[in-house]
Amino acid sequence: MKLSIRYKLLPIIVLGIIVLAAIFYAISIQSKRSAVEKSAIDRIQSAKQTFYNLEKNDVKMLKAALTSFIANEDYKEVFLKNDRDQLYQYGQKLFLSNKQLGITHFYFHRTNGTVFSRLHDKNKYDDLLTRITFNQSKETGSWGTGLELGKTAFALRVVTPYLKEGSLIGYVEFGEEIDHFIEIMKNQTGMDYAVVVNKHFIDAKDWASVRKTKGLENNYDDLADYVVIDTTLPNSSTFRDYAFSPIDLTSVMDEGKLLNHFDLDGKNYISGGFSLYDASGKKVGSVITIDDFTTIDQAYKKASLNTAIPGLLKRSM
């Protein structure tokens, strides 16, 4: 009789074990998911630190190069002749040499804040500067440094007064585009990145012109409020839609706590980001991180499954 009752209760017992195992597994999965997210946040913070270390080191490089340049008296003599063509031709050798070091911008400014010559763009001059770094240098009589957003790209800039025998004759500026930052970061971290900027900072016509010049598709309308100005992502609209559309980019926190999970082509990705600030401290963009967590996520799930059933069976005995 007792044996018969036991056989009758066996399905109920088995079902109970299965239900408890499922609950235990779900709890374990949630715990592992939290661990995955913590790991993802740590990686975002590491990426953020890498970005700002690159910025800090390159500011030092630009300042060192510019310090060496302003000690050269020959260029001052040419600058004071007020002959733009002569200055451009005289400076090309140095500009091309600097370009190999990553210095892509080379300016001579007048004391009133207008550009006398761009050695990187011969036909553009006489525009009045309103940039933060130039104003810093003009107001302090010393260095102006920092990240600034131009019409279509970010540039890291250093500006300093140009002196002849102690008298101010103008200002000189070195700068570099920062597109190589995210390539370096990808090589170091294995993550993909995208730099995004709110559209109110980017003129649609300027952007279209730049993309056309570079032979690239105009991506201005890919996102509702933002423009992806640089990315290490593959040129895939599907990947782009998954990576960005689910994210409210206005909520990207500087602490790197915004996380979005998405699956694509059998892989699991986690995206997040951190904010970019210009030389004045104003937020002007964000770096979005896209991290392939497939291997780590699968390992956590497998560990959860291997722990759930044996653990419950042991408790039920």
Side-chain angles (χ1 to χ4, degrees), residues 9-65:
L9 292 176
L10 185 58
I12 298 174
I13 294 171
V14 171
L15 180 61
I17 292 174
I18 292 173
V19 171
L20 289 174
I23 294 172
F24 190 84
Y25 177 66
I27 294 172
S28 181
I29 284 290
Q30 183 58 43
S31 175
K32 300 304 181 184
R33 183 183 179 90
S34 297
V36 168
E37 290 199 349
K38 183 181 183 305
S39 178
I41 290 172
D42 289 342
R43 285 169 63 79
I44 292 169
Q45 292 286 1
S46 178
K48 173 185 172 183
Q49 189 60 52
T50 299
F51 181 93
Y52 284 112
N53 284 341
L54 288 169
E55 180 181 356
K56 182 179 179 181
N57 290 337
D58 278 20
V59 165
K60 288 181 179 179
M61 179 274 292
L62 291 168
K63 287 180 71 173

Short mmCIF file of all heavy atoms in Angstrom, two decimals, residues 9-65:
data_model
loop_
_atom_site.label_atom_id
_atom_site.label_comp_id
_atom_site.label_asym_id
_atom_site.label_seq_id
_atom_site.Cartn_x
_atom_site.Cartn_y
_atom_site.Cartn_z
N LEU A 9 2.78 9.29 -5.92
CA LEU A 9 3.35 10.61 -5.61
C LEU A 9 4.59 10.93 -6.44
O LEU A 9 5.01 12.10 -6.52
CB LEU A 9 3.71 10.69 -4.12
CG LEU A 9 2.54 10.69 -3.14
CD1 LEU A 9 3.05 10.67 -1.71
CD2 LEU A 9 1.66 11.92 -3.37
N LEU A 10 5.18 9.90 -7.06
CA LEU A 10 6.43 10.10 -7.79
C LEU A 10 6.33 11.17 -8.89
O LEU A 10 7.22 12.04 -8.98
CB LEU A 10 6.89 8.77 -8.40
CG LEU A 10 8.27 8.80 -9.09
CD1 LEU A 10 9.36 9.25 -8.11
CD2 LEU A 10 8.61 7.43 -9.67
N PRO A 11 5.28 11.15 -9.73
CA PRO A 11 5.17 12.21 -10.75
C PRO A 11 5.11 13.61 -10.15
O PRO A 11 5.67 14.57 -10.70
CB PRO A 11 3.88 11.87 -11.49
CG PRO A 11 3.69 10.41 -11.27
CD PRO A 11 4.18 10.16 -9.88
N ILE A 12 4.39 13.70 -9.01
CA ILE A 12 4.28 15.01 -8.35
C ILE A 12 5.64 15.46 -7.85
O ILE A 12 6.03 16.63 -7.96
CB ILE A 12 3.26 14.96 -7.20
CG1 ILE A 12 1.87 14.60 -7.75
CG2 ILE A 12 3.22 16.29 -6.46
CD1 ILE A 12 0.84 14.39 -6.69
N ILE A 13 6.39 14.49 -7.28
CA ILE A 13 7.72 14.81 -6.75
C ILE A 13 8.66 15.24 -7.88
O ILE A 13 9.38 16.23 -7.76
CB ILE A 13 8.30 13.58 -6.01
CG1 ILE A 13 7.47 13.28 -4.76
CG2 ILE A 13 9.77 13.84 -5.64
CD1 ILE A 13 7.82 11.98 -4.07
N VAL A 14 8.60 14.47 -8.98
CA VAL A 14 9.45 14.80 -10.13
C VAL A 14 9.10 16.18 -10.69
O VAL A 14 9.97 16.99 -11.00
CB VAL A 14 9.30 13.73 -11.24
CG1 VAL A 14 10.03 14.18 -12.51
CG2 VAL A 14 9.87 12.41 -10.75
N LEU A 15 7.78 16.44 -10.81
CA LEU A 15 7.34 17.73 -11.31
C LEU A 15 7.81 18.86 -10.40
O LEU A 15 8.24 19.92 -10.86
CB LEU A 15 5.80 17.75 -11.43
CG LEU A 15 5.19 19.07 -11.93
CD1 LEU A 15 5.70 19.38 -13.34
CD2 LEU A 15 3.67 18.98 -11.93
N GLY A 16 7.73 18.60 -9.09
CA GLY A 16 8.18 19.60 -8.13
C GLY A 16 9.66 19.90 -8.27
O GLY A 16 10.09 21.07 -8.21
N ILE A 17 10.43 18.82 -8.49
CA ILE A 17 11.87 19.00 -8.68
C ILE A 17 12.15 19.81 -9.93
O ILE A 17 13.00 20.71 -9.94
CB ILE A 17 12.57 17.62 -8.76
CG1 ILE A 17 12.51 16.93 -7.38
CG2 ILE A 17 14.02 17.78 -9.21
CD1 ILE A 17 13.05 15.52 -7.39
N ILE A 18 11.39 19.49 -11.00
CA ILE A 18 11.59 20.21 -12.25
C ILE A 18 11.26 21.69 -12.09
O ILE A 18 11.98 22.58 -12.57
CB ILE A 18 10.73 19.59 -13.37
CG1 ILE A 18 11.26 18.19 -13.71
CG2 ILE A 18 10.74 20.48 -14.62
CD1 ILE A 18 10.37 17.43 -14.69
N VAL A 19 10.14 21.98 -11.41
CA VAL A 19 9.72 23.38 -11.19
C VAL A 19 10.77 24.11 -10.36
O VAL A 19 11.17 25.23 -10.69
CB VAL A 19 8.35 23.43 -10.49
CG1 VAL A 19 8.04 24.87 -10.06
CG2 VAL A 19 7.26 22.92 -11.42
N LEU A 20 11.22 23.45 -9.29
CA LEU A 20 12.23 24.08 -8.44
C LEU A 20 13.54 24.28 -9.20
O LEU A 20 14.22 25.30 -9.03
CB LEU A 20 12.47 23.22 -7.19
CG LEU A 20 11.34 23.21 -6.16
CD1 LEU A 20 11.63 22.22 -5.05
CD2 LEU A 20 11.14 24.61 -5.58
N ALA A 21 13.87 23.30 -10.05
CA ALA A 21 15.08 23.42 -10.85
C ALA A 21 14.99 24.62 -11.79
O ALA A 21 15.96 25.35 -12.00
CB ALA A 21 15.33 22.14 -11.64
N ALA A 22 13.78 24.77 -12.39
CA ALA A 22 13.58 25.89 -13.31
C ALA A 22 13.71 27.23 -12.57
O ALA A 22 14.32 28.18 -13.08
CB ALA A 22 12.20 25.79 -13.96
N ILE A 23 13.13 27.28 -11.36
CA ILE A 23 13.23 28.50 -10.56
C ILE A 23 14.69 28.76 -10.18
O ILE A 23 15.19 29.89 -10.31
CB ILE A 23 12.35 28.40 -9.30
CG1 ILE A 23 10.87 28.33 -9.68
CG2 ILE A 23 12.62 29.57 -8.36
CD1 ILE A 23 9.95 28.03 -8.52
N PHE A 24 15.35 27.71 -9.75
CA PHE A 24 16.75 27.84 -9.35
C PHE A 24 17.61 28.28 -10.54
O PHE A 24 18.49 29.12 -10.41
CB PHE A 24 17.24 26.49 -8.80
CG PHE A 24 18.58 26.56 -8.15
CD1 PHE A 24 18.72 26.94 -6.82
CD2 PHE A 24 19.73 26.23 -8.86
CE1 PHE A 24 19.97 27.00 -6.23
CE2 PHE A 24 20.98 26.30 -8.28
CZ PHE A 24 21.10 26.68 -6.95
N TYR A 25 17.30 27.71 -11.70
CA TYR A 25 18.04 28.04 -12.92
C TYR A 25 17.81 29.51 -13.30
O TYR A 25 18.74 30.22 -13.67
CB TYR A 25 17.60 27.12 -14.05
CG TYR A 25 18.25 27.43 -15.39
CD1 TYR A 25 19.61 27.25 -15.58
CD2 TYR A 25 17.49 27.90 -16.46
CE1 TYR A 25 20.21 27.54 -16.80
CE2 TYR A 25 18.07 28.19 -17.69
CZ TYR A 25 19.44 28.01 -17.84
OH TYR A 25 20.01 28.28 -19.05
N ALA A 26 16.54 29.94 -13.19
CA ALA A 26 16.23 31.33 -13.53
C ALA A 26 16.96 32.30 -12.60
O ALA A 26 17.49 33.33 -13.04
CB ALA A 26 14.72 31.57 -13.46
N ILE A 27 16.97 31.97 -11.31
CA ILE A 27 17.68 32.80 -10.33
C ILE A 27 19.17 32.82 -10.65
O ILE A 27 19.82 33.88 -10.61
CB ILE A 27 17.43 32.30 -8.90
CG1 ILE A 27 15.96 32.49 -8.52
CG2 ILE A 27 18.34 33.02 -7.91
CD1 ILE A 27 15.58 31.86 -7.20
N SER A 28 19.68 31.64 -10.98
CA SER A 28 21.10 31.54 -11.30
C SER A 28 21.44 32.34 -12.55
O SER A 28 22.46 33.03 -12.60
CB SER A 28 21.49 30.07 -11.49
OG SER A 28 22.86 29.94 -11.77
N ILE A 29 20.57 32.27 -13.56
CA ILE A 29 20.78 33.02 -14.80
C ILE A 29 20.79 34.51 -14.53
O ILE A 29 21.62 35.26 -15.05
CB ILE A 29 19.69 32.68 -15.84
CG1 ILE A 29 19.95 31.32 -16.47
CG2 ILE A 29 19.60 33.74 -16.92
CD1 ILE A 29 21.16 31.30 -17.39
N GLN A 30 19.84 34.98 -13.69
CA GLN A 30 19.77 36.40 -13.35
C GLN A 30 21.03 36.84 -12.63
O GLN A 30 21.56 37.94 -12.87
CB GLN A 30 18.54 36.68 -12.48
CG GLN A 30 18.36 38.15 -12.12
CD GLN A 30 18.23 39.02 -13.36
OE1 GLN A 30 17.54 38.67 -14.32
NE2 GLN A 30 18.92 40.16 -13.38
N SER A 31 21.52 35.95 -11.75
CA SER A 31 22.74 36.25 -11.03
C SER A 31 23.92 36.36 -11.99
O SER A 31 24.75 37.28 -11.89
CB SER A 31 23.02 35.17 -9.98
OG SER A 31 24.26 35.38 -9.35
N LYS A 32 23.97 35.41 -12.93
CA LYS A 32 25.05 35.43 -13.91
C LYS A 32 24.92 36.64 -14.82
O LYS A 32 25.91 37.24 -15.23
CB LYS A 32 25.05 34.15 -14.74
CG LYS A 32 25.22 32.86 -13.92
CD LYS A 32 26.48 32.87 -13.09
CE LYS A 32 26.63 31.58 -12.32
NZ LYS A 32 27.80 31.58 -11.42
N ARG A 33 23.67 37.01 -15.17
CA ARG A 33 23.45 38.19 -16.01
C ARG A 33 23.97 39.45 -15.32
O ARG A 33 24.58 40.31 -15.96
CB ARG A 33 21.95 38.34 -16.31
CG ARG A 33 21.62 39.50 -17.26
CD ARG A 33 20.12 39.63 -17.44
NE ARG A 33 19.77 40.74 -18.31
CZ ARG A 33 19.63 40.65 -19.63
NH1 ARG A 33 19.81 39.48 -20.22
NH2 ARG A 33 19.32 41.70 -20.35
N SER A 34 23.73 39.53 -14.00
CA SER A 34 24.24 40.67 -13.25
C SER A 34 25.76 40.69 -13.29
O SER A 34 26.38 41.76 -13.40
CB SER A 34 23.75 40.61 -11.80
OG SER A 34 22.34 40.70 -11.75
N ALA A 35 26.36 39.50 -13.22
CA ALA A 35 27.81 39.41 -13.27
C ALA A 35 28.32 39.84 -14.64
O ALA A 35 29.35 40.53 -14.76
CB ALA A 35 28.27 37.98 -12.97
N VAL A 36 27.59 39.44 -15.69
CA VAL A 36 27.96 39.84 -17.06
C VAL A 36 27.87 41.35 -17.19
O VAL A 36 28.77 41.99 -17.76
CB VAL A 36 27.04 39.15 -18.10
CG1 VAL A 36 27.22 39.78 -19.47
CG2 VAL A 36 27.35 37.66 -18.19
N GLU A 37 26.80 41.95 -16.68
CA GLU A 37 26.63 43.40 -16.79
C GLU A 37 27.71 44.14 -16.00
O GLU A 37 28.20 45.18 -16.46
CB GLU A 37 25.24 43.80 -16.32
CG GLU A 37 24.13 43.37 -17.27
CD GLU A 37 22.85 44.13 -17.07
OE1 GLU A 37 22.74 44.86 -16.06
OE2 GLU A 37 21.95 44.02 -17.93
N LYS A 38 28.07 43.61 -14.85
CA LYS A 38 29.14 44.25 -14.08
C LYS A 38 30.45 44.20 -14.86
O LYS A 38 31.20 45.17 -14.91
CB LYS A 38 29.32 43.56 -12.73
CG LYS A 38 30.38 44.24 -11.85
CD LYS A 38 30.55 43.53 -10.53
CE LYS A 38 31.57 44.29 -9.66
NZ LYS A 38 32.87 44.48 -10.34
N SER A 39 30.69 43.05 -15.47
CA SER A 39 31.90 42.92 -16.28
C SER A 39 31.86 43.90 -17.46
O SER A 39 32.87 44.52 -17.80
CB SER A 39 32.02 41.49 -16.80
OG SER A 39 33.14 41.35 -17.64
N ALA A 40 30.67 44.05 -18.07
CA ALA A 40 30.52 44.97 -19.20
C ALA A 40 30.77 46.41 -18.76
O ALA A 40 31.43 47.18 -19.47
CB ALA A 40 29.14 44.84 -19.82
N ILE A 41 30.22 46.79 -17.61
CA ILE A 41 30.42 48.14 -17.08
C ILE A 41 31.90 48.40 -16.81
O ILE A 41 32.43 49.47 -17.13
CB ILE A 41 29.59 48.36 -15.80
CG1 ILE A 41 28.11 48.41 -16.15
CG2 ILE A 41 30.02 49.63 -15.09
CD1 ILE A 41 27.19 48.44 -14.94
N ASP A 42 32.58 47.40 -16.25
CA ASP A 42 34.01 47.54 -15.98
C ASP A 42 34.78 47.77 -17.29
O ASP A 42 35.72 48.58 -17.34
CB ASP A 42 34.55 46.29 -15.28
CG ASP A 42 34.06 46.17 -13.84
OD1 ASP A 42 33.60 47.19 -13.29
OD2 ASP A 42 34.14 45.07 -13.28
N ARG A 43 34.37 47.07 -18.34
CA ARG A 43 35.04 47.23 -19.63
C ARG A 43 34.76 48.60 -20.26
O ARG A 43 35.62 49.19 -20.90
CB ARG A 43 34.63 46.09 -20.57
CG ARG A 43 35.30 44.76 -20.22
CD ARG A 43 34.69 43.58 -20.97
NE ARG A 43 34.84 43.68 -22.41
CZ ARG A 43 35.95 43.40 -23.10
NH1 ARG A 43 37.04 43.03 -22.45
NH2 ARG A 43 35.98 43.48 -24.42
N ILE A 44 33.54 49.10 -20.04
CA ILE A 44 33.20 50.44 -20.53
C ILE A 44 34.05 51.48 -19.80
O ILE A 44 34.59 52.41 -20.42
CB ILE A 44 31.70 50.74 -20.34
CG1 ILE A 44 30.86 49.85 -21.25
CG2 ILE A 44 31.40 52.21 -20.64
CD1 ILE A 44 29.38 49.88 -20.93
N GLN A 45 34.17 51.32 -18.49
CA GLN A 45 34.98 52.25 -17.71
C GLN A 45 36.44 52.20 -18.14
O GLN A 45 37.13 53.24 -18.21
CB GLN A 45 34.86 51.91 -16.22
CG GLN A 45 33.50 52.19 -15.61
CD GLN A 45 33.25 53.68 -15.42
OE1 GLN A 45 34.08 54.50 -15.76
NE2 GLN A 45 32.10 54.03 -14.90
N SER A 46 36.91 51.00 -18.45
CA SER A 46 38.28 50.85 -18.92
C SER A 46 38.47 51.54 -20.28
O SER A 46 39.49 52.19 -20.52
CB SER A 46 38.62 49.36 -19.04
OG SER A 46 39.93 49.18 -19.53
N ALA A 47 37.47 51.39 -21.16
CA ALA A 47 37.52 52.05 -22.47
C ALA A 47 37.54 53.56 -22.31
O ALA A 47 38.27 54.27 -23.00
CB ALA A 47 36.34 51.61 -23.32
N LYS A 48 36.71 54.05 -21.40
CA LYS A 48 36.65 55.50 -21.13
C LYS A 48 38.01 56.00 -20.66
O LYS A 48 38.51 57.04 -21.13
CB LYS A 48 35.59 55.78 -20.07
CG LYS A 48 35.54 57.22 -19.59
CD LYS A 48 34.54 57.35 -18.45
CE LYS A 48 34.62 58.73 -17.81
NZ LYS A 48 33.70 58.86 -16.66
N GLN A 49 38.63 55.26 -19.75
CA GLN A 49 39.94 55.66 -19.23
C GLN A 49 40.99 55.64 -20.34
O GLN A 49 41.85 56.53 -20.42
CB GLN A 49 40.37 54.72 -18.10
CG GLN A 49 41.61 55.17 -17.35
CD GLN A 49 41.44 56.54 -16.71
OE1 GLN A 49 40.48 56.77 -15.99
NE2 GLN A 49 42.36 57.45 -16.96
N THR A 50 40.89 54.64 -21.21
CA THR A 50 41.83 54.55 -22.33
C THR A 50 41.68 55.76 -23.24
O THR A 50 42.67 56.36 -23.68
CB THR A 50 41.58 53.27 -23.15
OG1 THR A 50 41.80 52.12 -22.31
CG2 THR A 50 42.53 53.19 -24.35
N PHE A 51 40.43 56.15 -23.53
CA PHE A 51 40.19 57.31 -24.40
C PHE A 51 40.82 58.57 -23.80
O PHE A 51 41.54 59.30 -24.51
CB PHE A 51 38.69 57.53 -24.58
CG PHE A 51 38.35 58.68 -25.48
CD1 PHE A 51 38.15 58.48 -26.84
CD2 PHE A 51 38.26 59.98 -24.98
CE1 PHE A 51 37.87 59.55 -27.68
CE2 PHE A 51 37.98 61.04 -25.81
CZ PHE A 51 37.78 60.83 -27.16
N TYR A 52 40.58 58.81 -22.53
CA TYR A 52 41.09 60.04 -21.93
C TYR A 52 42.60 60.00 -21.73
O TYR A 52 43.27 61.05 -21.72
CB TYR A 52 40.34 60.35 -20.64
CG TYR A 52 38.97 60.91 -20.93
CD1 TYR A 52 37.82 60.19 -20.63
CD2 TYR A 52 38.82 62.15 -21.55
CE1 TYR A 52 36.55 60.70 -20.93
CE2 TYR A 52 37.57 62.66 -21.85
CZ TYR A 52 36.45 61.93 -21.54
OH TYR A 52 35.20 62.43 -21.85
N ASN A 53 43.15 58.79 -21.58
CA ASN A 53 44.61 58.67 -21.53
C ASN A 53 45.23 59.02 -22.88
O ASN A 53 46.27 59.69 -22.96
CB ASN A 53 45.03 57.26 -21.13
CG ASN A 53 44.85 56.99 -19.64
OD1 ASN A 53 44.74 57.93 -18.85
ND2 ASN A 53 44.81 55.74 -19.26
N LEU A 54 44.57 58.55 -23.96
CA LEU A 54 45.04 58.89 -25.31
C LEU A 54 44.98 60.40 -25.52
O LEU A 54 45.91 61.00 -26.09
CB LEU A 54 44.19 58.18 -26.35
CG LEU A 54 44.39 56.67 -26.49
CD1 LEU A 54 43.30 56.07 -27.37
CD2 LEU A 54 45.76 56.35 -27.07
N GLU A 55 43.88 61.01 -25.08
CA GLU A 55 43.75 62.46 -25.22
C GLU A 55 44.84 63.19 -24.44
O GLU A 55 45.49 64.11 -24.97
CB GLU A 55 42.37 62.91 -24.73
CG GLU A 55 42.15 64.41 -24.85
CD GLU A 55 40.79 64.85 -24.32
OE1 GLU A 55 39.99 63.99 -23.94
OE2 GLU A 55 40.54 66.08 -24.30
N LYS A 56 45.06 62.78 -23.21
CA LYS A 56 46.06 63.43 -22.36
C LYS A 56 47.47 63.29 -22.95
O LYS A 56 48.23 64.27 -23.01
CB LYS A 56 46.03 62.79 -20.96
CG LYS A 56 46.99 63.41 -19.96
CD LYS A 56 46.85 62.73 -18.61
CE LYS A 56 47.83 63.32 -17.59
NZ LYS A 56 47.70 62.65 -16.26
N ASN A 57 47.79 62.09 -23.43
CA ASN A 57 49.12 61.86 -23.99
C ASN A 57 49.33 62.64 -25.29
O ASN A 57 50.42 63.16 -25.54
CB ASN A 57 49.33 60.36 -24.25
CG ASN A 57 49.45 59.57 -22.96
OD1 ASN A 57 49.80 60.11 -21.92
ND2 ASN A 57 49.16 58.28 -23.02
N ASP A 58 48.28 62.74 -26.10
CA ASP A 58 48.42 63.45 -27.36
C ASP A 58 48.48 64.96 -27.16
O ASP A 58 49.13 65.67 -27.95
CB ASP A 58 47.29 63.07 -28.33
CG ASP A 58 47.58 61.76 -29.04
OD1 ASP A 58 48.41 60.98 -28.52
OD2 ASP A 58 46.98 61.49 -30.10
N VAL A 59 47.83 65.47 -26.13
CA VAL A 59 47.99 66.89 -25.80
C VAL A 59 49.45 67.17 -25.44
O VAL A 59 50.03 68.18 -25.88
CB VAL A 59 47.06 67.30 -24.63
CG1 VAL A 59 47.49 68.64 -24.05
CG2 VAL A 59 45.62 67.40 -25.11
N LYS A 60 50.06 66.27 -24.68
CA LYS A 60 51.48 66.43 -24.32
C LYS A 60 52.35 66.42 -25.57
O LYS A 60 53.28 67.22 -25.70
CB LYS A 60 51.91 65.32 -23.37
CG LYS A 60 51.36 65.42 -21.97
CD LYS A 60 51.88 64.28 -21.11
CE LYS A 60 51.34 64.37 -19.68
NZ LYS A 60 51.83 63.23 -18.84
N MET A 61 52.04 65.50 -26.49
CA MET A 61 52.81 65.41 -27.74
C MET A 61 52.68 66.69 -28.56
O MET A 61 53.66 67.23 -29.07
CB MET A 61 52.33 64.20 -28.54
CG MET A 61 53.04 63.99 -29.88
SD MET A 61 52.30 64.92 -31.27
CE MET A 61 50.73 64.07 -31.44
N LEU A 62 51.44 67.19 -28.71
CA LEU A 62 51.21 68.40 -29.48
C LEU A 62 51.89 69.62 -28.85
O LEU A 62 52.47 70.44 -29.56
CB LEU A 62 49.70 68.65 -29.61
CG LEU A 62 48.92 67.67 -30.49
CD1 LEU A 62 47.41 67.86 -30.30
CD2 LEU A 62 49.28 67.85 -31.96
N LYS A 63 51.83 69.70 -27.54
CA LYS A 63 52.48 70.82 -26.85
C LYS A 63 53.99 70.76 -27.02
O LYS A 63 54.65 71.80 -27.22
CB LYS A 63 52.11 70.82 -25.36
CG LYS A 63 50.68 71.25 -25.08
CD LYS A 63 50.36 71.24 -23.59
CE LYS A 63 51.06 72.34 -22.86
NZ LYS A 63 50.61 72.44 -21.44
N ALA A 64 54.55 69.56 -26.94
CA ALA A 64 56.00 69.41 -27.10
C ALA A 64 56.43 69.82 -28.50
O ALA A 64 57.44 70.52 -28.68
CB ALA A 64 56.42 67.98 -26.81
N ALA A 65 55.65 69.38 -29.50
CA ALA A 65 55.97 69.73 -30.89
C ALA A 65 55.84 71.22 -31.13
O ALA A 65 56.68 71.84 -31.81
CB ALA A 65 55.06 68.95 -31.84
#
